[in-house]
Amino acid sequence: MASEAKPSHAIDVHTPSVARMYDWLLGGVENYASDRRACQDLLKIAPSTQVLARNNRAFLQRVVRVLARDYGVEQFIDHGSGLPTQDNVHQIAQRINPGCRVVYVDNDPIVLAHGRTTLQENQNTAIIQADMRDTDSILDHEETRRLIDFKRPVAALFVSVLHCLPDTRDERDPAAVIRRVASRLGPGSFMVICQLVSDDAGVRDGVTRLMDDCTGGTWGRVREPDEVRAYFNGMRTLEPGLVDVIDWRPDHRPPLPEQRATDWVEWGGVARL
C-alpha cells in the first residue's frame, strides 16, 4: 500500500501513513502509534486484513520470480513500493539474474530514507520519491534512465496501490495512469496490477471512510472487481487471468482456507503488452 499525497521530506508521525500501516500489518517495526491505532480501527471493519496483507506480499514475490525466471524480465519499476522488508523486488529478481535492475517509487519520506540506506550498496537499484501518477517525471528521471532501457521489456508493478488514488476523471485517474504507463513501455513489457476489492458494500464504504479520514483525505477507494478489470482493457492477461491474488500461480495448491481473507481481497493479475 502507498499513500498518494504530495512528495515531502518531512516525516509526519501523527498522521497515519499507508506504507507504515502496511509495514505493521506485515509484522514490521517501522511504524508509529498513529499507524498502529489506524490499523486497529481497520481490523474492526475487516478482521482478515493481516491475512490479506500477507497474501499480497506473497503475490508480489511470486510475480517477480515468475517474470524474471520464466519470461526473462530484467527490468522492474515498482510504483508505490512501500517500506523495505524481507525479499524485496530486487532481492528476488537478482537471485535469479544478478543483472536485474529495479526502480522503486514512493512518496512517503520515511520510505525514501530507509530505501536509500538499504539500497546504497546496490548499483542496479534506485529509489525515487514521487507521486505514482507523475508518469513522465518518473520514467524520465535520471535514475530511471540510468537503469531502465525502454527498448527492452519492463515490468511495471502497481501492487496494492491503486486504491490509494481517488477517481478524478482526468489524467490523474487510476485508469488513466495505467494507460499512460503502458503507452510508454515497449512490446513484450508487463503490467502487474492488483488492488483492494470487496463485494460487501459495508466493507468498501467503511474502509474507504476510515482511510480517507485517518490519512487526511489522501486516499482513494475500495473498488469492485469489474472496476479493476477495466484497468486491463486492451491488454492480454497471463493465466490464470484476473483473480484473488492468492490464486495467481500459487506455490501450493490449493491454498488453505485459513490463508484466505474473508472481508476483502487483493484482486488483479498480470498482462503482457
Side-chain angles (χ1 to χ4, degrees):
M1 302 184 194
S3 171
E4 53 81 41
K6 284 186 176 182
S8 167
H9 294 289
I11 296 175
D12 180 358
V13 302
H14 302 294
T15 301
S17 153
V18 181
R20 299 194 308 257
M21 289 175 65
Y22 187 52
D23 174 72
W24 183 86
L25 290 166
L26 289 173
V29 297
E30 302 298 341
N31 48 76
Y32 298 100
S34 61
D35 308 305
R36 296 189 286 273
R37 285 194 299 270
C39 284
Q40 293 296 342
D41 290 338
L42 181 58
L43 289 169
K44 292 175 185 176
I45 301 171
S48 64
T49 296
Q50 284 184 291
V51 173
L52 177 147
R54 290 194 294 269
N55 290 345
N56 173 69
R57 191 70 192 178
F59 166 70
L60 173 65
Q61 293 164 349
R62 288 197 307 279
V63 161
V64 172
R65 186 171 66 246
V66 167
L67 291 180
R69 182 192 62 206
D70 300 345
Y71 294 88
V73 177
E74 299 178 345
Q75 307 183 110
F76 298 83
I77 303 176
D78 187 3
H79 296 79
S81 57
L83 283 159
T85 183
Q86 293 182 344
D87 259 0
N88 298 286
V89 171
H90 73 282
Q91 293 166 320
I92 300 164
Q94 289 173 2
R95 277 200 296 271
I96 295 167
N97 178 352
C100 284
R101 297 176 296 282
V102 179
V103 174
Y104 295 101
V105 181
D106 207 292
N107 65 351
D108 190 322
I110 198 170
V111 172
L112 185 71
H114 282 273
R116 284 179 172 167
T117 300
T118 303
L119 303 176
Q120 62 183 349
E121 301 289 329
N122 194 315
Q123 294 302 307
N124 281 342
T125 64
I127 185 165
I128 299 170
Q129 187 179 15
D131 187 315
M132 76 181 88
R133 296 170 296 186
D134 295 337
T135 302
D136 290 342
S137 67
I138 292 167
L139 300 188
D140 295 332
H141 194 283
E142 61 181 353
E143 286 289 80
T144 307
R145 289 295 179 180
R146 177 177 70 86
L147 291 172
I148 304 298
D149 178 359
F150 287 98
K151 296 186 179 70
R152 301 175 58 226
V154 178
L157 311 179
F158 287 88
V159 176
S160 193
V161 294
L162 293 179
H163 47 252
C164 298
L165 302 182
D167 303 313
T168 60
R169 308 305 180 194
D170 60 16
E171 73 281 356
R172 296 175 75 76
D173 187 78
V177 173
I178 292 300
R179 290 194 299 270
R180 191 161 59 249
V181 172
S183 73
R184 291 286 305 268
L185 303 182
S189 292
F190 294 84
M191 298 292 291
V192 181
I193 306 165
C194 69
Q195 85 136 77
L196 295 168
V197 305
S198 179
D199 293 325
D200 185 330
V203 171
R204 290 197 306 271
D205 296 343
V207 172
T208 296
R209 282 195 302 270
L210 170 67
M211 294 303 299
D212 193 60
D213 289 344
C214 72
T215 61
T218 60
W219 212 67
R221 183 166 62 86
V222 180
R223 296 183 170 92
E224 298 179 73
D226 281 348
E227 296 178 277
V228 179
R229 185 175 286 109
Y231 297 151
F232 289 87
N233 285 346
M235 302 183 196
R236 179 166 54 90
T237 56
L238 303 186
E239 291 296 332
L242 306 184
V243 294
D244 177 346
V245 298
I246 197 173
D247 294 315
W248 197 90
R249 304 193 183 188
D251 293 327
H252 305 286
R253 295 176 181 272
L256 298 173
E258 58 266 30
Q259 294 175 312
R260 291 189 176 277
T262 54
D263 314 288
W264 54 346
V265 299
E266 291 281 356
W267 201 84
V270 182
R272 191 170 196 174
L273 302 178

